[in-house]
Amino acid sequence: MTDARVLEAPSTFGGVIPAPAMDRIAANGLRYTKSFHSTSLCSPTRAAIITGRNHHSVDFGVVGEISTGFPGYDSIIPIEKGTIGTI
């Protein structure tokens, strides 16, 4: 997992960063080309990258260390919103 990178950095898109799970999915015809997310905070950006969803929809509306119990801000990715590694 990396952040602060361009979409072309993973091996899936010709880059040098190994992404074996994304490579396997791409080899079967599915490429996540419209899931590049960026926020001003590291935890929400990473949550968006690994799920392909908006950071609020996976409960990372804030940095994990200062999470709250409110919906969208508890910093626990719901199981039904799987990460790229679980697909």
Side-chain angles (χ1 to χ4, degrees), residues 9 11-13 28 33 37 39-40:
S11 57
T12 310
F13 301 99
N28 287 311
T33 59
H37 294 276
T39 70
S40 60

Side-chain angles (χ1 to χ4, degrees), residues 49-67:
I49 290 171
I50 66 171
T51 62
R53 301 171 186 259
N54 178 278
H55 58 288
H56 282 95
S57 73
V58 294
D59 297 349
F60 264 87
V62 69
V63 176
E65 291 82 2
I66 58 172
S67 62

